[in-house]
Amino acid sequence: MAGHSKWANIQHRKGRQDAKRGKIFTRLIKEITIAARLGGGDPSANPRLRLAMDKATDANMPKDNIQRAIDKGTGNLEGVEYVELRYEGYGTGGAAVMVDCLTDNKTRTVADVRHAFTKHGGNLGTDGSVAFQFAHQGYLLFSPDVDEDSLMEAALEAGADDVIIQEDGSKEVITEPYQYSSIKEALEQAGFHAADGEVTMRPVNETVLEGEEAEKMQRLLDALEDLDDVQNVYTTAVLDTE
């Protein structure tokens, strides 16, 4: 599709996230805490905790902060009890939106999420209304300059599900959610360093938005991401920035 660049969209999103670095630290601490509470404090036996710790390290979070979050999760330190919530809805052009939250106050969180949808032309839906439009996967994105054949061989040998070559020449390695860290590590050992990657809810199909529609959708996504209780926002929308 004309003007649609996976590489450009990923870099655009990363730039917006970098501008919110302080909020990212808060979200990572919450994720480490709940991962440790649910699966224990040993990252070798808790893939979710290992992934959260890897993200925190990539974001240059101090080791002491990471350990305190683990200790709060395992009960070694007193901390807030968080619950996980997921909200589903629609934004501009019928694009699906899924919002994952960690909160200590469900009433506050649902009110904030509903307000963001309503204010920016979206609609909060019921459980399951858009979840079928996403797949739980890990991805690692490599620049168009990376050699396709060498990356594909290394990725498949490491256990990746697929390697997708995008129209702009960038390459995406697709993984099972809890194989993400081990495959990323194997590829790094083989000399391949991803420009971006995470475990995410990946759209099965995408909705490309341009012009005013793209701007309106961006305002909705920004409003949701700015909420203190929101951990991740997923959407089928692709915002054409060219």
Side-chain angles (χ1 to χ4, degrees):
M1 56 194 70
H4 168 32
S5 168
K6 175 73 71 172
W7 186 247
N9 273 281
I10 289 291
Q11 299 308 310
H12 175 69
R13 179 177 61 79
K14 279 175 65 66
R16 300 184 77 88
Q17 288 180 338
D18 288 343
K20 302 175 181 178
R21 182 63 58 189
K23 182 153 287 187
I24 288 172
F25 269 33
T26 301
R27 290 175 179 175
L28 286 169
I29 287 170
K30 282 185 178 181
E31 174 61 21
I32 291 168
T33 300
I34 198 163
R37 177 161 67 85
L38 295 175
D42 179 4
S44 65
N46 184 344
R48 180 173 176 178
L49 177 60
R50 180 184 173 186
L51 180 60
M53 291 173 66
D54 286 348
K55 283 185 178 181
T57 301
D58 289 344
N60 297 316
M61 182 183 290
K63 290 182 180 179
D64 287 351
N65 294 36
I66 295 173
Q67 189 58 51
R68 276 198 299 274
I70 294 172
D71 289 342
K72 287 179 181 178
T74 56
N76 293 332
L77 284 177
E78 190 173 337
V80 177
E81 284 285 321
Y82 296 112
V83 294
E84 295 182 280
L85 301 171
R86 171 170 286 171
Y87 299 103
E88 303 175 38
Y90 290 93
T92 309
V97 181
M98 197 151 58
V99 186
D100 282 348
C101 304
L102 284 177
T103 182
D104 58 351
N105 186 322
K106 294 181 183 180
T107 303
R108 176 191 67 222
T109 304
V110 69
D112 288 347
V113 170
R114 180 179 287 114
H115 176 72
F117 270 100
T118 303
K119 182 177 179 181
H120 297 284
N123 294 291
L124 188 61
T126 57
D127 289 351
S129 58
V130 304
F132 67 94
Q133 298 188 48
F134 297 86
H136 191 202
Q137 294 177 334
Y139 79 88
L140 294 156
L141 181 70
F142 296 86
S143 82
D145 299 329
V146 171
D147 183 73
E148 178 181 332
D149 292 337
S150 300
L151 176 63
M152 188 168 294
E153 181 180 351
L156 296 179
E157 185 175 326
D161 284 358
D162 199 5
V163 179
I164 300 171
I165 311 303
Q166 299 294 339
E167 290 180 11
D168 57 12
S170 60
K171 290 95 179 166
E172 281 187 291
V173 174
I174 307 302
T175 78
E176 291 294 323
Y178 294 113
Q179 287 186 309
Y180 171 84
S181 294
S182 61
I183 291 173
K184 179 184 178 186
E185 187 176 313
L187 289 176
E188 287 176 349
Q189 289 176 354
F192 297 99
H193 296 272
D196 188 42
E198 63 181 335
V199 174
T200 187
M201 298 301 294
R202 185 184 182 88
V204 176
N205 295 295
E206 295 177 333
T207 303
V208 178
L209 301 176
E210 301 176 336
E212 289 185 9
E213 283 197 330
E215 291 174 7
K216 188 175 181 181
M217 187 68 179
Q218 186 67 70
R219 287 193 291 272
L220 170 59
L221 298 176
D222 284 345
L224 290 167
E225 288 177 352
D226 283 342
L227 297 176
D228 289 341
D229 297 329
V230 169
Q231 289 290 103
N232 292 294
V233 180
Y234 309 107
T235 180
T236 58
V238 174
L239 308 183
D240 199 328
T241 56
E242 295 187 8

